[in-house]
């Protein structure tokens, strides 16, 4: 089975290094495709052996729509060469429970549908966590976790299906009955909150994009990223702690029970559910 992974990045070198190390280990660097939104001379050294494509950064109007069009076009082309295309943001890692799936090939070989979703969770730096050494895996020292409906995203497709608005684009007749295929033991680890130092750096770029004055730009969380950051960490620390198994079982049941079927936009996605308990990511998943 041929599997590749694709992401798009602008200057977020710490997150990209996490993405590259993770997927290169599982898929091989030669099967990684990085779309640089603007020229970045650091990327070849940061991601040796990966395929790097640069697209212009001369305007930011319609940022999300532009990104989806670029990536879906490239993704469709890769689908003619690869059996499956994995696509995540640079700060997102797909982790599998090795007690259920040993590899991406094992998981994807048994999928009946043409898209796979993952159970999303934020990986969180706690006040007592040690600093991340240069080149260290975030999951090696970060285990605080909070499940998230927003990040329970579609992440692997075949046959040219487009990824849109954290879900998958489908024809209306198909959308009405298409299941949200989210196997147990498949997780999307969102690393935005796993490194406070890197988050401060990337927040400058988010604020630059959101306040650039164009149309169709990201919203409040990017316009005032420091406020959003403080609110997230404060809420996380105030939540009660629950065991992983109970949290994961509850989150999976709630996410898959009633997905959003947006017939106007032709998108199947998970509900943006906020969960009310934090948990600890098990070592076996952190080591995947």
């Amino acid at each position: 089975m041929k599997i590749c992974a694709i992401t798009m990045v602008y200057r977020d070198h710490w997150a990209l290094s996490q993405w590259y190390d993770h997927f290169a280990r599982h898929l091989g660097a030669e099967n990684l495709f990085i779309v640089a939104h603007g020229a970045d001379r650091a990327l070849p050294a940061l991601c040796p052996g990966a395929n790097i494509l640069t697209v212009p950064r001369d305007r930011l109007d319609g940022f999300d729509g532009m990104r989806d069009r670029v990536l879906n076009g490239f993704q469709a082309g890769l689908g003619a060469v690869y059996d499956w295309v994995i696509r995540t943001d640079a700060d997102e890692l797909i982790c599998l429970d090795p007690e259920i799936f040993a590899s991406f090939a094992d998981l994807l070989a048994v999928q009946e549908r043409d898209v796979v979703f993952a159970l999303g969770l934020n990986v969180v730096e706690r006040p007592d966590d040690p600093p991340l050494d240069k080149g260290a895996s975030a999951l090696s020292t970060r285990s605080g976790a909070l499940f998230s409906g927003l990040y329970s995203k579609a992440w692997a497709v075949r046959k040219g299906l487009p990824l849109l608005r954290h879900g998958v684009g489908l024809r209306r007749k198909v959308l009405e009955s298409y299941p949200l295929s989210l196997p147990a033991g498949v997780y999307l680890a969102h690393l935005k909150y796993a490194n406070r130092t890197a988050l401060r750096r990337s927040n400058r770029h988010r604020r630059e994009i959101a306040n650039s004055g164009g149309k169709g730009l990201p919203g409040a969380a990017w316009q005032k990223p420091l406020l959003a950051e403080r609110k997230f960490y404060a809420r996380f620390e105030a939540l009660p702690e629950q065991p992983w198994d109970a949290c994961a079982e509850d989150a999976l049941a709630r996410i898959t029970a009633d997905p959003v079927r947006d017939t106007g936009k032709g998108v199947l996605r998970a509900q943006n559910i906020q969960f009310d308990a934090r948990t600890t990511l098990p070592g076996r998943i952190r080591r995947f």
Side-chain angles (χ1 to χ4, degrees):
M1 179 180 290
K2 295 185 67 176
I3 307 168
C4 68
I6 179 175
T7 194
M8 189 173 189
V9 69
Y10 172 65
R11 292 189 183 177
D12 199 350
H13 292 164
W14 176 79
L16 181 63
S17 68
Q18 299 288 316
W19 186 93
Y20 170 83
D21 289 346
H22 181 78
F23 286 108
R25 179 160 51 87
H26 289 286
L27 303 177
E30 69 276 10
N31 296 309
L32 305 186
F33 295 84
I34 298 165
V35 179
H37 192 197
D40 189 338
R41 295 180 180 178
L43 297 190
L46 188 66
C47 305
N51 305 280
I52 300 170
L53 171 68
T54 300
V55 297
R57 193 180 176 80
D58 52 359
R59 63 183 181 86
L60 297 175
D61 285 12
F63 178 78
D64 286 335
M66 175 279 298
R67 179 175 57 185
D68 281 341
R69 288 191 296 274
V70 168
L71 291 178
N72 280 324
F74 192 22
Q75 174 183 301
L78 290 172
V81 180
Y82 288 90
D83 298 300
W84 285 89
V85 180
I86 293 172
R87 182 174 129 202
T88 72
D89 292 345
D91 61 357
E92 297 169 349
L93 310 180
I94 302 299
C95 298
L96 307 181
D97 187 334
E99 294 181 355
I100 302 175
F101 300 108
S103 67
F104 288 120
D106 285 348
L107 164 66
L108 296 174
V110 297
Q111 298 310 304
E112 297 180 358
R113 301 292 174 173
D114 297 326
V115 59
V116 186
F117 284 74
L119 189 56
L121 56 90
N122 286 293
V123 179
V124 183
E125 179 178 331
R126 305 293 304 277
D128 294 334
D129 282 341
L132 274 167
D133 294 333
K134 185 176 181 180
S137 163
L139 297 181
S140 67
T141 55
R142 303 290 186 261
S143 61
L146 177 62
F147 284 104
S148 165
L150 180 63
Y151 287 98
S152 294
K153 298 168 64 172
W155 62 275
V157 294
R158 60 185 171 186
K159 300 180 181 178
L161 284 183
L163 296 180
L164 300 167
R165 298 175 176 268
H166 291 201
V168 61
L170 297 166
R171 290 180 290 109
R172 180 172 296 185
K173 289 184 178 179
V174 176
L175 175 61
E176 293 172 355
S177 59
Y178 205 91
L180 191 147
S181 179
L182 201 171
V186 180
Y187 305 99
L188 187 152
H190 181 222
L191 302 183
K192 177 178 178 179
Y193 300 105
N195 184 338
R196 296 186 189 223
T197 301
L199 178 57
R200 300 271 164 77
R201 290 196 300 266
S202 61
N203 275 343
R204 293 196 294 269
H205 306 313
R206 293 186 176 99
R207 187 166 53 241
E208 171 193 334
I209 293 170
N211 295 294
S212 61
K215 296 180 180 180
L217 298 172
W222 281 39
Q223 291 169 356
K224 298 181 179 179
L226 293 179
L227 178 61
E229 172 189 338
R230 288 195 295 268
K231 285 183 176 179
F232 175 87
Y233 285 121
R235 179 175 183 270
F236 182 85
E237 294 301 330
L239 290 174
E241 175 92 13
Q242 291 187 1
W244 168 262
D245 288 343
C247 277
E249 182 178 353
D250 174 66
L252 182 62
R254 292 176 64 187
I255 290 295
T256 56
D258 187 22
V260 175
R261 301 180 189 278
D262 187 337
T263 55
K265 300 186 183 303
V267 175
L268 172 69
R269 60 177 174 83
Q271 289 194 53
N272 184 10
I273 298 172
Q274 291 196 19
F275 293 90
D276 296 323
R278 65 174 188 248
T279 190
T280 299
L281 193 60
R284 68 181 187 277
I285 297 172
R286 292 164 58 202
R287 290 189 294 270
F288 172 76

